[in-house]
């Protein structure tokens, strides 16, 4: 199998990285033919049940999410807590050991063996990259990420809207600043450690940087998260190069974009369908009467939009 966008190919469970000159000549993703894990199986089941539409662009994305779930599923939750997934494992096969650099670092991989020199930090990539999905509105990014969250076996996972996540980050920093014992201390380090303790897979919906405070914080925050084994899955409408476009002090934000591209597969969902519009086709948009018929019609619309999934009560705290 080949993951052309990430420049790697597989022999059994062995990962080999293409030389940069070959990687530049590859334009499209050819997914790993072994990708038949929990995400793909659930997606295929829903397609067969007609709750989801057959969509080749979505299927390509599902395969990437599925492959990520498969790779993470090779480790127990205890191993993930101990960051075993950040290290290359030695193999009894000498050919495998030739390709896999058995060093306990997330950022060491094969070309350094072939060249005899260490890679610079900006050229290093993790053994299990996350996934950064971008595409037009209504193409199913959020739905696919939710499908991944539902089916991946990792226990410590968090799915949250990007703005809610950043609001939580700022609130934690504020709370710690109220503690007199925190005066003069670096508050970002304990913040990162607490986040790492809570989650191994961080799924951020609608990743979009709009203010200078977030922009200046993200670089160091995610450097700590990635260094401690957190895997990022994100959805957004724009490619990494357009994040915080024309923002104040954007030059200081650019290193984060480079880090993002090193730690995640960057994937464009090229679907020409806006599923927000298809769900409302042929349905009433105004209901005049009040009573059993109106309630029945609202229930029918609700079930159609939620694909008959059971709901649950939630409490919302307004700030």
């Amino acid at each position: 199998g080949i993951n052309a966008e990430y420049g790697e190919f597989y022999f059994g469970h062995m990962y080999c990285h293409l030389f940069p000159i070959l990687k530049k000549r590859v334009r499209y993703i050819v997914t790993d033919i072994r990708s038949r894990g929990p995400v793909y199986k659930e997606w295929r089941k829903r397609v067969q049940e007609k709750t989801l539409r057959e969509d080749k662009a979505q299927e390509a994305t599902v395969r990437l999410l599925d492959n990520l779930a498969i790779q993470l599923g090779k480790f127990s939750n205890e191993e993930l807590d101990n960051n075993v997934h950040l290290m290359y494992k030695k193999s009894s096969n000498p050919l495998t050991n030739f390709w896999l650099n058995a060093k306990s670092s997330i950022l060491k991989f094969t070309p350094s063996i072939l060249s005899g020199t260490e890679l610079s930090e900006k050229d290093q990539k993790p053994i299990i990259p996350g996934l950064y999905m971008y595409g037009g509105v209504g193409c199913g990014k959020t739905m696919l990420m939710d499908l991944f969250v539902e089916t991946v076996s990792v226990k410590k996972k968090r799915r949250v809207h990007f703005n809610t996540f950043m609001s939580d980050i700022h609130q934690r920093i504020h709370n710690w600043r109220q503690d007199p014992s925190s005066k003069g201390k670096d508050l970002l380090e304990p913040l990162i450690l607490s986040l790492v303790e809570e989650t191994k897979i961080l799924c951020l919906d609608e990743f979009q940087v709009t203010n200078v405070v977030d922009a200046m914080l993200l670089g160091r925050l995610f450097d700590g998260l990635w260094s401690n084994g957190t895997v990022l899955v994100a959805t957004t409408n724009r490619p990494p190069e357009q994040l915080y476009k024309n923002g104040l002090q954007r030059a200081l934000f650019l290193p984060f974009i480079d880090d993002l591209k090193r730690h995640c597969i960057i994937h464009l969902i090229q679907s020409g369908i806006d599923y927000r519009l298809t769900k409302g086709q042929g349905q009433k948009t105004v209901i005049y009467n009040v009573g059993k018929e109106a309630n029945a019609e609202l229930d029918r619309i609700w079930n159609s939009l939620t694909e008959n999934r059971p709901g649950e009560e939630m409490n919302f705290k307004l700030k």
Side-chain angles (χ1 to χ4, degrees):
I2 301 174
N3 179 350
E5 188 158 339
Y6 198 60
E8 62 186 19
F9 56 96
Y10 316 100
F11 290 111
H13 296 296
M14 181 177 68
Y15 291 79
C16 304
H17 295 259
L18 298 172
F19 293 107
I21 188 171
L22 295 178
K23 181 179 175 182
K24 291 179 180 178
R25 294 172 181 266
V26 181
R27 297 185 57 191
Y28 301 102
I29 295 176
V30 182
T31 54
D32 182 359
I33 60 174
R34 295 180 291 111
S35 287
R36 292 296 185 272
V39 186
Y40 184 89
K41 288 177 181 177
E42 181 61 25
W43 176 81
R44 177 54 61 186
K45 175 176 172 286
R46 295 184 188 183
V47 169
Q48 292 173 345
E49 293 173 345
K50 306 298 184 182
T51 57
L52 290 179
R53 182 184 298 188
E54 183 87 39
D55 186 320
K56 294 301 181 183
Q58 286 190 359
E59 182 175 6
T61 309
V62 167
R63 289 181 180 274
L64 291 174
L65 289 167
D66 194 51
N67 192 56
L68 176 56
I70 290 172
Q71 299 308 317
L72 290 169
K74 294 176 181 178
F75 303 95
S76 68
N77 285 285
E78 291 74 20
E79 287 177 324
L80 292 173
D81 284 342
N82 294 322
N83 288 340
V84 175
H85 63 298
L86 300 188
M87 298 181 287
Y88 288 103
K89 289 187 174 182
K90 290 186 178 181
S91 169
S92 58
N93 187 329
L95 178 60
T96 301
N97 283 325
F98 173 78
W99 286 103
L100 294 182
N101 190 350
K103 294 182 179 180
S104 58
S105 170
I106 186 176
L107 300 175
K108 304 293 182 184
F109 68 105
T110 35
S112 62
I113 301 176
L114 299 178
S115 65
T117 59
E118 296 291 342
L119 290 168
S120 64
E121 183 176 344
K122 67 179 182 179
D123 292 327
Q124 298 167 340
K125 292 183 179 180
I127 190 172
I128 302 182
L131 183 62
Y132 179 96
M133 302 174 283
Y134 72 99
V137 294
C139 68
K141 302 182 295 294
T142 298
M143 181 274 293
L144 294 176
M145 184 175 71
D146 288 343
L147 183 64
F148 171 78
V149 174
E150 290 175 24
T151 55
V152 69
S153 61
V154 178
K155 289 184 179 180
K156 290 185 177 180
K157 51 192 174 185
R158 182 183 182 188
R159 187 268 194 225
V160 63
H161 191 279
F162 177 76
N163 289 340
T164 303
F165 174 72
M166 294 308 300
S167 177
D168 177 50
I169 295 299
H170 294 304
Q171 186 63 52
R172 294 190 191 201
I173 293 176
H174 172 75
N175 292 342
W176 281 330
R177 280 176 176 165
Q178 307 311 303
D179 185 351
S181 64
S182 67
K183 186 175 181 180
K185 293 183 179 179
D186 180 6
L187 299 181
L188 204 53
E189 183 175 348
L191 169 63
I192 291 171
L193 293 178
S194 67
L195 291 172
V196 169
E197 179 64 25
E198 296 166 5
T199 183
K200 280 299 176 183
I201 302 178
L202 179 60
C203 298
L204 297 180
D205 192 27
E206 297 191 24
F207 198 112
Q208 184 172 341
V209 187
T210 57
N211 64 76
V212 66
V213 178
D214 288 350
M216 298 302 103
L217 181 62
L218 282 175
R220 190 170 167 218
L221 174 64
F222 273 91
D223 180 63
L225 292 177
W226 282 321
S227 297
N228 285 279
T230 301
V231 177
L232 173 66
V233 176
T235 71
T236 181
N237 295 336
R238 58 189 64 198
E241 295 79 10
Q242 293 184 14
L243 287 173
Y244 196 50
K245 187 176 182 179
N246 300 322
L248 185 66
Q249 298 291 330
R250 188 172 187 265
L252 300 177
F253 177 75
L254 295 180
F256 168 74
I257 295 179
D258 293 334
D259 288 341
L260 177 66
K261 292 164 73 173
R262 286 193 295 110
H263 286 87
C264 292
I265 296 174
I266 310 301
H267 174 62
L268 169 62
I269 303 178
Q270 295 180 305
S271 176
I273 304 173
D274 186 343
Y275 287 95
R276 302 173 308 164
L277 303 179
T278 59
K279 283 192 173 184
Q281 290 179 349
Q283 296 185 2
K284 294 180 180 180
T285 55
V286 178
I287 299 176
Y288 296 97
N289 299 323
V290 176
K292 292 183 178 180
E293 292 184 2
N295 290 338
E297 180 63 15
L298 287 172
D299 287 340
R300 186 191 66 79
I301 294 174
W302 174 263
N303 290 333
S304 174
L305 293 173
T306 61
E307 299 171 351
N308 293 307
R309 298 180 186 177
E312 59 182 34
E313 294 185 2
M314 297 183 66
N315 295 321
F316 292 90
K317 183 179 179 181
L318 302 178
K319 295 185 177 180

